[in-house]
Amino acid sequence: MLKEKVEKALIDQIQLEEQSSRIYMAMASWCEVSGFSGCSQFFVFPLPIRERMHMTRLIKYVNDKGRADRPWKYPGQFTKTCWMYLNKS
């Protein structure tokens, strides 16, 4: 079971991983339209995928552990809560 403070820190890290993935994709897009196709390949493939993988692992971890004071009513409830939190910004 996760304490609220730990869960919040993990959700914050999930948000950072998601933002990093989008930043890498934006960098790849800029490189591609600016004529740096070699650089765009570097940003497009390994980096955003790796950030998404980190994000997915963290989401699965929090889904598995949950919090003792807030049991989930159905599978995937944390994921829905997490995405609502992430999309507030």
Side-chain angles (χ1 to χ4, degrees):
M1 300 296 160
L2 297 174
K3 294 184 178 183
E4 185 175 358
K5 184 177 181 179
V6 173
E7 183 184 53
K8 168 94 169 72
L10 289 170
I11 290 173
D12 288 345
Q13 184 62 37
I14 290 167
Q15 186 175 23
L16 291 173
E17 300 290 348
E18 192 272 333
Q19 288 173 343
S20 295
S21 178
R22 285 189 286 129
I23 289 168
Y24 286 134
M25 290 300 289
M27 292 167 73
S29 177
W30 179 87
C31 287
E32 189 172 66
V33 299
S34 299
F36 301 108
S37 61
C39 290
S40 72
Q41 294 305 310
F42 172 75
F43 289 118
V44 166
F45 294 106
L47 297 177
I49 291 169
R50 190 169 55 209
E51 299 303 324
R52 294 283 177 171
M53 185 175 60
H54 296 159
M55 182 179 72
T56 301
R57 286 180 181 168
L58 289 169
I59 289 171
K60 287 181 178 279
Y61 178 79
V62 176
N63 277 342
D64 288 344
K65 298 301 177 185
R67 271 191 16 220
D69 63 336
R70 191 175 68 205
W72 306 111
K73 294 179 183 174
Y74 56 90
Q77 184 174 354
F78 169 75
T79 304
K80 180 179 177 185
T81 305
C82 177
W83 287 112
M84 288 170 49
Y85 172 81
L86 293 176
N87 290 321
K88 283 192 322 191
S89 55

